[in-house]
Amino acid sequence: MATTTKYIFVTGGVTSSLGKGIIAASLAKLLQAQGYRTTIQKLDPYINVDPGTLNPYEHGECYVTDDGAETDLDLGHYERFLNVPTSQANNVTTGRIYQSVIEKERRGEFLGKTVQVIPHITDEIKHRIQILGKSGDYDIVITEIGGTVGDIESLPYVESVRQLKWELGQDNALVIHLTLVPYLSAAGELKTKPTQHSVKTLMESGVQADILVCRTEHELPQDLRDKLARFCNVTKDSVIQSIDASTIYDVPNLMLTEGLDKIVLKKLALKSETPDLTRWNAFVERHKNPKTEVTIGLIGKYVELQDSYKSILEAFIHAGAENEVKVNIESIHSEYLNGDNIKLKLSHLDGVLVAPGFGERGIEGKIDAVRYVRENNIPFLGICLGMQMAVIEFSRNVLGIEDANSTEMSTSTTNPVIDLMEEQKTVIDKGGTMRLGSWACNLSENSIVRSVYNTDKIEERHRHRYEFNSDFKEQIEEKGMLATGLNPDTKLVEIVEIPSHPWFVGVQYHPEYKSTVANPHPLFVAFVKAALVHKKTKKGVSMAQNK
Ligand code: GLN
């Protein structure tokens, strides 16, 4: 434990997408594994108040915390690596900063003063950076500054780092600058100049990087490290190589080998010891040495962009490792699925996940997919919109209600089996107004979920406006789709299952947000297991047919 909270700032240079979030999470893991209570925070320089109103094409998945914050997907990495929940305080945007400064101005808190970027915006940024530190819950707070140094919109953040580094004093704060050392194949050389320029840009704002983490495709030889140290005013042991890894889960060990944790702790005047990564390494070992494989179809409308379903993909990695199975994900675009190609696209799969989403695009393909897996006994997991599509499909094709729909897609349907929640009916604003965050759910006896979770009450995270319409519950249950998870207070249906199917579960919440390396989500673990059983059964059937 540290006596005062120490702050680590992670900035990025040269280009975006270098993986600041993974480096921050990996460092945090190494510090946590030495007994330091560590958290990570992301500062995003865009003007949206939160990423909840952003299309996944813009910014990837929107991650949701227990306290209902709609956040950057990097918070998902932080939770998956650290197994500690994050909250609203872990993600701050320029929009939120300005919003609170402007609200203060309207309340008269700056009465008589001109409100300016410096000091008012930077004070608000510094305040937000220190909320977690001042909570007393953490020894070390890592703050990742989104964007790239030199961007106009990053300037107030870099300026806040400059001020804070000064105010917190030596040993209490440091800056890690993540840069790229590109390999020029024509010259056959790694090039340090972009890093030199990026460090210089940071210095123009008065911030000296203490440690350089250099992303590279090839090993950084010692002479290049020496050169970087010399030109960038850092000690030689502060030049850390971050070479491309086959999985993000290797990065903590790569950083350990490079001594990133050691140099960080030395500069913060904290004791370092060998981190205890036993559990982590056991996971990596299982992840890298699967005994068999399954193929799961991920049906969504943003499948061309990996980041759109980040938490789902990671939850499959955790569940795969737990089952010692490699989970191959086949991304299937729901917009191009229809009755004619459905068999071709789905029949070989061991399981199908229908993804969350908003709006009409691609929903008929999702409904066709649910029908196919329901009728062909393929394990199914529907998440949020995926669960809603399962209810619509069942109502249309089993109950014979032809126009069964969600009022999100058809306001005029006479059979709204999925309908806007009561409290949503008066909501006009789009930002931060969904049913968000953690809600309790009671699980029915003898249900799949009850045995999967091994408890009768769970809490899961939500992000939606529409919900199973309980007016149709009796009819739907009579035909064999059961509501096996209900909110204890409102009786909203949170889970549906079809007991006559080998494994068919739809959940209104997002289990993927709570899957971590240390705690793979039980629903994903059970789904992968069901896919494995399906694969074996399929094989058994085809062998019998060949006899
Ligand atoms: N669009 C649906 C709703 O608002 C589902 C949301 C989701 O999948 N996250 O209820």
Side-chain angles (χ1 to χ4, degrees):
M1 263 189 53
T3 43
T4 49
T5 307
K6 309 275 184 167
Y7 291 86
I8 299 170
F9 302 104
V10 182
T11 57
V14 182
T15 166
S16 59
S17 303
L18 287 181
K20 278 196 299 266
I22 300 296
I23 292 295
S26 300
L27 172 61
K29 184 78 225 166
L30 295 177
L31 300 174
Q32 183 195 50
Q34 292 174 56
Y36 292 107
R37 297 168 307 158
T38 309
T39 189
I40 320 175
Q41 175 190 48
K42 171 100 191 257
L43 305 184
D44 275 311
Y46 51 73
I47 295 171
N48 302 63
V49 171
D50 61 44
T53 52
L54 288 173
N55 185 315
Y57 290 123
E58 294 278 323
H59 209 63
E61 164 190 283
C62 172
Y63 186 77
V64 179
T65 59
D66 279 333
D67 66 349
E70 295 176 283
T71 74
D72 185 79
L73 58 77
D74 272 344
L75 270 76
H77 291 307
Y78 308 161
E79 288 203 16
R80 288 187 281 274
F81 275 51
L82 298 181
N83 198 35
V84 176
T86 53
S87 69
Q88 183 69 70
N90 294 76
N91 193 192
V92 178
T93 69
T94 294
R96 196 172 289 281
I97 298 282
Y98 271 81
Q99 190 183 43
S100 44
V101 171
I102 290 169
E103 278 167 6
K104 279 184 195 163
E105 187 275 335
R106 291 291 82 184
R107 286 198 301 270
E109 288 184 30
F110 309 114
L111 221 48
K113 289 268 179 268
T114 309
V115 182
Q116 294 180 297
V117 173
I118 303 171
H120 302 100
I121 295 297
T122 48
D123 278 353
E124 184 65 28
I125 295 173
K126 289 193 295 180
H127 162 69
R128 299 274 177 159
I129 289 174
Q130 292 176 98
I131 288 179
L132 289 162
K134 287 183 175 159
S135 70
D137 294 336
Y138 303 103
D139 302 312
I140 301 171
V141 177
I142 302 179
T143 301
E144 178 193 344
I145 318 276
T148 309
V149 295
D151 295 351
I152 291 176
E153 50 187 23
S154 297
L155 280 173
Y157 292 99
V158 176
E159 167 61 14
S160 303
V161 170
R162 185 194 69 77
Q163 294 179 22
L164 258 184
K165 226 186 145 191
W166 192 247
E167 288 162 22
L168 291 165
Q170 226 195 342
D171 299 344
N172 291 328
L174 64 82
V175 173
I176 297 177
H177 190 57
L178 182 64
T179 77
L180 177 71
V181 177
Y183 179 77
L184 289 193
S185 44
E189 271 182 70
L190 285 163
K191 291 292 181 189
T192 64
K193 197 73 83 186
T195 298
Q196 295 179 40
H197 279 290
S198 162
V199 170
K200 200 166 138 192
T201 306
L202 197 54
M203 281 179 81
E204 278 165 12
S205 302
V207 175
Q208 166 67 56
D210 298 289
I211 297 170
L212 301 181
V213 174
C214 307
R215 294 282 293 112
T216 172
E217 288 172 31
H218 298 274
E219 292 281 338
L220 273 188
Q222 193 56 48
D223 60 328
L224 275 200
R225 294 178 190 233
D226 295 349
K227 186 173 172 185
L228 279 167
R230 189 178 320 119
F231 279 109
C232 301
N233 291 344
V234 297
T235 53
K236 286 182 187 173
D237 55 357
S238 298
V239 180
I240 303 290
Q241 154 187 297
S242 169
I243 200 155
D244 286 359
S246 62
T247 153
I248 54 169
Y249 297 105
D250 271 343
V251 180
N253 277 304
L254 290 173
M255 291 303 105
L256 179 66
T257 313
E258 284 286 311
L260 176 61
D261 57 319
K262 257 207 182 96
I263 186 75
V264 161
L265 289 170
K266 187 169 133 194
K267 287 186 188 291
L268 293 176
L270 292 173
K271 226 175 56 249
S272 80
E273 51 190 76
T274 309
D276 179 4
L277 292 173
T278 319
R279 260 176 97 182
W280 182 272
N281 289 339
F283 156 79
V284 175
E285 191 64 24
R286 280 196 306 274
H287 170 48
K288 288 187 162 177
N289 297 294
K291 297 207 166 99
T292 177
E293 55 185 338
V294 292
T295 304
I296 297 210
L298 169 62
I299 302 187
K301 63 172 171 177
Y302 304 112
V303 288
E304 51 292 37
L305 193 80
Q306 282 255 327
D307 277 357
S308 314
Y309 302 112
K310 196 80 204 163
S311 294
I312 291 177
L313 298 178
E314 298 303 322
F316 274 124
I317 290 179
H318 308 153
E322 189 71 10
N323 282 292
E324 295 181 281
V325 173
K326 178 171 193 295
V327 181
N328 301 311
I329 299 293
E330 230 174 87
S331 298
I332 301 169
H333 205 304
S334 53
E335 244 185 316
Y336 311 127
L337 265 184
N338 53 53
D340 296 336
N341 62 15
I342 201 100
K343 189 169 178 212
L344 182 76
K345 300 243 182 188
L346 305 189
S347 60
H348 62 287
L349 297 170
D350 305 315
V352 164
L353 186 147
V354 176
F358 294 84
E360 215 185 338
R361 188 167 67 92
I363 64 140
E364 292 304 326
K366 287 186 172 174
I367 294 173
D368 287 343
V370 181
R371 178 175 197 165
Y372 186 85
V373 298
R374 182 179 55 75
E375 292 181 345
N376 290 280
N377 290 329
I378 298 174
F380 167 79
L381 178 59
I383 298 183
C384 207
L385 185 71
M387 173 266 202
Q388 298 175 354
M389 294 303 111
V391 173
I392 295 172
E393 188 281 319
F394 196 81
S395 307
R396 287 186 189 175
N397 301 319
V398 180
L399 276 69
I401 310 176
E402 270 173 38
D403 75 336
N405 215 332
S406 161
T407 44
E408 181 179 2
M409 320 305 165
S410 160
T411 40
S412 61
T413 176
T414 44
N415 289 293
V417 290
I418 302 293
D419 200 6
L420 194 62
M421 281 177 281
E422 211 41 53
E423 69 271 22
Q424 287 286 330
K425 294 190 174 153
T426 49
V427 171
I428 296 165
D429 285 356
K430 290 276 184 273
T433 55
M434 280 189 250
R435 181 173 179 236
L436 291 165
S438 196
W439 294 85
C441 175
N442 289 342
L443 308 179
S444 312
E445 263 177 60
N446 301 322
S447 59
I448 295 185
V449 279
R450 179 77 165 257
S451 67
V452 162
Y453 282 94
N454 200 19
T455 175
D456 57 1
K457 190 169 183 180
I458 56 166
E459 284 191 1
E460 291 280 6
R461 300 182 194 171
H462 293 245
R463 182 172 186 250
H464 61 121
R465 293 185 203 281
Y466 295 82
E467 181 63 71
F468 184 111
N469 182 347
S470 294
D471 293 349
F472 292 84
K473 185 162 164 260
E474 217 179 291
Q475 293 179 58
I476 290 177
E477 289 206 313
E478 242 168 45
K479 292 283 184 190
M481 174 183 266
L482 304 185
T484 55
L486 300 183
N487 178 282
D489 308 314
T490 57
K491 304 293 174 226
L492 283 178
V493 174
E494 315 281 36
I495 306 173
V496 293
E497 292 180 21
I498 301 179
S500 61
H501 184 282
W503 209 93
F504 190 105
V505 179
V507 292
Q508 185 55 76
Y509 52 83
H510 292 262
E512 70 274 22
Y513 293 147
K514 281 178 80 168
S515 189
T516 69
V517 165
N519 273 320
H521 197 286
L523 212 46
F524 277 86
V525 173
F527 179 45
V528 170
K529 204 168 271 161
L532 205 53
V533 171
H534 179 76
K535 187 183 168 188
K536 284 183 188 149
T537 325
K538 233 176 24 185
K539 214 166 146 194
V541 171
S542 73
M543 273 163 68
Q545 279 167 349
N546 287 341
K547 271 190 185 159

